[in-house]
Amino acid sequence: MGLEKEKSDTSIIMDEDEFNRSMEPMLSKKGNVYAAEPDRDPHDVNAHLKVGFEDVIAEPISAHSFDKVWIGSLAAFELVKFVFYRLLTTLLAVPVAFVLGLVFGVLSCIHIWLVMPAIQSVVMLLPSVQVVWRSLTDMFVTPLFHSAGKCLSSVQVSTTED
């Protein structure tokens, strides 16, 4: 293990860009067959999901499997990841998008028609509440603390060491 004397020119028979774009066989190479794909994650919301084979299966220098095993496991990993992602998105993308659209639509409606009017009403009432609050504190709280301060002003604290 790790002492193979094979050529290191071995490679996978699939072109990664072509493999990720289509499930069609690559029979002809007539220049650039596919147009550049639009960036579906322009704000890198799912940057943590950009996981490659080397990020999951990493063999340190001290423990290497045979090159053929490494290449085969790489191909199997990429193929299974690709097929299952396509299968799950085919089954779940439309229903999940429907539910999320419903949830965000309801949340937007609640925010626009309930939350913001309530916040604006409170903001409009705050100046008059401030006047009433200041009057209440001037009538009840301020005299109470002035009296407590006068009563406690004659208290003297001294420390002694034994």
Short mmCIF file of all heavy atoms in Angstrom, two decimals, residues 76-99:
data_model
loop_
_atom_site.label_atom_id
_atom_site.label_comp_id
_atom_site.label_asym_id
_atom_site.label_seq_id
_atom_site.Cartn_x
_atom_site.Cartn_y
_atom_site.Cartn_z
N ALA A 76 -16.84 6.81 -8.39
CA ALA A 76 -18.08 6.37 -7.75
C ALA A 76 -18.69 7.49 -6.91
O ALA A 76 -19.90 7.73 -6.94
CB ALA A 76 -17.81 5.14 -6.89
N PHE A 77 -17.85 8.20 -6.16
CA PHE A 77 -18.32 9.30 -5.32
C PHE A 77 -19.00 10.37 -6.17
O PHE A 77 -20.12 10.80 -5.87
CB PHE A 77 -17.15 9.90 -4.55
CG PHE A 77 -17.50 11.11 -3.74
CD1 PHE A 77 -18.04 10.98 -2.47
CD2 PHE A 77 -17.27 12.39 -4.23
CE1 PHE A 77 -18.35 12.10 -1.71
CE2 PHE A 77 -17.58 13.50 -3.49
CZ PHE A 77 -18.13 13.36 -2.23
N GLU A 78 -18.32 10.81 -7.22
CA GLU A 78 -18.86 11.87 -8.07
C GLU A 78 -20.14 11.43 -8.77
O GLU A 78 -21.10 12.19 -8.86
CB GLU A 78 -17.82 12.32 -9.10
CG GLU A 78 -16.63 13.03 -8.50
CD GLU A 78 -16.98 14.37 -7.87
OE1 GLU A 78 -17.98 15.00 -8.28
OE2 GLU A 78 -16.27 14.77 -6.94
N LEU A 79 -20.16 10.19 -9.25
CA LEU A 79 -21.34 9.69 -9.96
C LEU A 79 -22.53 9.56 -9.02
O LEU A 79 -23.63 10.02 -9.34
CB LEU A 79 -21.03 8.33 -10.61
CG LEU A 79 -22.19 7.71 -11.40
CD1 LEU A 79 -22.49 8.55 -12.63
CD2 LEU A 79 -21.86 6.30 -11.78
N VAL A 80 -22.34 8.98 -7.85
CA VAL A 80 -23.44 8.80 -6.90
C VAL A 80 -23.94 10.16 -6.41
O VAL A 80 -25.15 10.39 -6.31
CB VAL A 80 -23.01 7.89 -5.73
CG1 VAL A 80 -24.02 7.91 -4.62
CG2 VAL A 80 -22.79 6.48 -6.23
N LYS A 81 -23.02 11.07 -6.12
CA LYS A 81 -23.42 12.42 -5.68
C LYS A 81 -24.24 13.11 -6.76
O LYS A 81 -25.30 13.69 -6.48
CB LYS A 81 -22.18 13.24 -5.34
CG LYS A 81 -22.48 14.64 -4.83
CD LYS A 81 -21.23 15.39 -4.43
CE LYS A 81 -20.66 16.06 -5.65
NZ LYS A 81 -19.62 17.05 -5.34
N PHE A 82 -23.80 13.01 -7.99
CA PHE A 82 -24.49 13.63 -9.12
C PHE A 82 -25.86 13.02 -9.34
O PHE A 82 -26.86 13.73 -9.44
CB PHE A 82 -23.62 13.48 -10.38
CG PHE A 82 -24.29 13.97 -11.63
CD1 PHE A 82 -24.41 15.31 -11.88
CD2 PHE A 82 -24.80 13.07 -12.54
CE1 PHE A 82 -25.03 15.76 -13.03
CE2 PHE A 82 -25.41 13.50 -13.69
CZ PHE A 82 -25.53 14.85 -13.93
N VAL A 83 -25.94 11.69 -9.37
CA VAL A 83 -27.21 11.01 -9.67
C VAL A 83 -28.22 11.25 -8.55
O VAL A 83 -29.39 11.56 -8.81
CB VAL A 83 -26.97 9.50 -9.90
CG1 VAL A 83 -28.27 8.74 -9.92
CG2 VAL A 83 -26.20 9.29 -11.19
N PHE A 84 -27.79 11.12 -7.30
CA PHE A 84 -28.73 11.31 -6.20
C PHE A 84 -29.17 12.76 -6.07
O PHE A 84 -30.32 13.03 -5.73
CB PHE A 84 -28.15 10.79 -4.88
CG PHE A 84 -28.44 9.34 -4.68
CD1 PHE A 84 -27.53 8.38 -5.06
CD2 PHE A 84 -29.63 8.92 -4.13
CE1 PHE A 84 -27.78 7.04 -4.89
CE2 PHE A 84 -29.91 7.59 -3.95
CZ PHE A 84 -28.98 6.64 -4.34
N TYR A 85 -28.28 13.70 -6.35
CA TYR A 85 -28.71 15.10 -6.31
C TYR A 85 -29.76 15.35 -7.37
O TYR A 85 -30.79 15.98 -7.12
CB TYR A 85 -27.51 16.04 -6.51
CG TYR A 85 -27.94 17.48 -6.53
CD1 TYR A 85 -28.26 18.13 -5.35
CD2 TYR A 85 -28.05 18.18 -7.72
CE1 TYR A 85 -28.68 19.45 -5.36
CE2 TYR A 85 -28.48 19.50 -7.74
CZ TYR A 85 -28.79 20.13 -6.56
OH TYR A 85 -29.21 21.43 -6.56
N ARG A 86 -29.52 14.86 -8.58
CA ARG A 86 -30.50 15.04 -9.64
C ARG A 86 -31.82 14.34 -9.31
O ARG A 86 -32.89 14.88 -9.54
CB ARG A 86 -29.96 14.49 -10.97
CG ARG A 86 -28.85 15.33 -11.58
CD ARG A 86 -29.45 16.58 -12.23
NE ARG A 86 -28.43 17.50 -12.68
CZ ARG A 86 -28.06 17.64 -13.94
NH1 ARG A 86 -28.60 16.91 -14.88
NH2 ARG A 86 -27.14 18.52 -14.25
N LEU A 87 -31.74 13.14 -8.77
CA LEU A 87 -32.95 12.39 -8.43
C LEU A 87 -33.74 13.10 -7.33
O LEU A 87 -34.96 13.30 -7.46
CB LEU A 87 -32.58 10.97 -7.97
CG LEU A 87 -33.73 10.09 -7.52
CD1 LEU A 87 -34.60 9.71 -8.71
CD2 LEU A 87 -33.21 8.85 -6.82
N LEU A 88 -33.06 13.51 -6.27
CA LEU A 88 -33.76 14.17 -5.17
C LEU A 88 -34.32 15.53 -5.58
O LEU A 88 -35.42 15.90 -5.17
CB LEU A 88 -32.83 14.31 -3.97
CG LEU A 88 -32.50 13.01 -3.25
CD1 LEU A 88 -31.47 13.24 -2.17
CD2 LEU A 88 -33.75 12.38 -2.67
N THR A 89 -33.58 16.29 -6.38
CA THR A 89 -34.11 17.57 -6.83
C THR A 89 -35.28 17.37 -7.78
O THR A 89 -36.21 18.17 -7.78
CB THR A 89 -33.04 18.44 -7.50
OG1 THR A 89 -32.42 17.72 -8.55
CG2 THR A 89 -32.01 18.90 -6.50
N THR A 90 -35.24 16.30 -8.58
CA THR A 90 -36.37 16.02 -9.46
C THR A 90 -37.62 15.72 -8.64
O THR A 90 -38.72 16.18 -8.97
CB THR A 90 -36.05 14.82 -10.38
OG1 THR A 90 -34.89 15.13 -11.15
CG2 THR A 90 -37.20 14.52 -11.30
N LEU A 91 -37.47 14.99 -7.55
CA LEU A 91 -38.62 14.62 -6.73
C LEU A 91 -39.07 15.74 -5.78
O LEU A 91 -40.26 15.90 -5.53
CB LEU A 91 -38.29 13.37 -5.91
CG LEU A 91 -38.03 12.09 -6.71
CD1 LEU A 91 -37.60 10.98 -5.76
CD2 LEU A 91 -39.26 11.69 -7.50
N LEU A 92 -38.12 16.50 -5.24
CA LEU A 92 -38.44 17.42 -4.16
C LEU A 92 -38.43 18.90 -4.52
O LEU A 92 -39.01 19.71 -3.79
CB LEU A 92 -37.46 17.21 -3.00
CG LEU A 92 -37.48 15.83 -2.35
CD1 LEU A 92 -36.40 15.74 -1.30
CD2 LEU A 92 -38.84 15.53 -1.75
N ALA A 93 -37.80 19.28 -5.61
CA ALA A 93 -37.60 20.71 -5.89
C ALA A 93 -38.93 21.46 -6.03
O ALA A 93 -39.12 22.51 -5.41
CB ALA A 93 -36.75 20.90 -7.13
N VAL A 94 -39.84 20.94 -6.82
CA VAL A 94 -41.10 21.66 -7.05
C VAL A 94 -41.96 21.70 -5.78
O VAL A 94 -42.45 22.78 -5.41
CB VAL A 94 -41.86 21.05 -8.25
CG1 VAL A 94 -43.22 21.68 -8.41
CG2 VAL A 94 -41.04 21.23 -9.53
N PRO A 95 -42.17 20.58 -5.07
CA PRO A 95 -42.97 20.70 -3.85
C PRO A 95 -42.34 21.59 -2.78
O PRO A 95 -43.04 22.37 -2.13
CB PRO A 95 -43.07 19.25 -3.34
CG PRO A 95 -42.76 18.40 -4.49
CD PRO A 95 -41.87 19.18 -5.39
N VAL A 96 -41.02 21.49 -2.60
CA VAL A 96 -40.36 22.34 -1.59
C VAL A 96 -40.42 23.80 -2.02
O VAL A 96 -40.65 24.69 -1.18
CB VAL A 96 -38.90 21.87 -1.36
CG1 VAL A 96 -38.13 22.87 -0.54
CG2 VAL A 96 -38.89 20.51 -0.69
N ALA A 97 -40.23 24.08 -3.30
CA ALA A 97 -40.33 25.46 -3.78
C ALA A 97 -41.75 26.00 -3.57
O ALA A 97 -41.93 27.16 -3.20
CB ALA A 97 -39.94 25.54 -5.25
N PHE A 98 -42.76 25.16 -3.79
CA PHE A 98 -44.15 25.56 -3.56
C PHE A 98 -44.37 25.90 -2.09
O PHE A 98 -44.93 26.95 -1.76
CB PHE A 98 -45.09 24.43 -3.99
CG PHE A 98 -46.54 24.73 -3.75
CD1 PHE A 98 -47.24 25.56 -4.61
CD2 PHE A 98 -47.19 24.21 -2.65
CE1 PHE A 98 -48.56 25.85 -4.38
CE2 PHE A 98 -48.51 24.49 -2.41
CZ PHE A 98 -49.21 25.32 -3.28
N VAL A 99 -43.92 25.03 -1.19
CA VAL A 99 -44.10 25.27 0.25
C VAL A 99 -43.33 26.51 0.69
O VAL A 99 -43.86 27.35 1.44
CB VAL A 99 -43.66 24.02 1.05
CG1 VAL A 99 -43.59 24.33 2.54
CG2 VAL A 99 -44.60 22.86 0.79
#
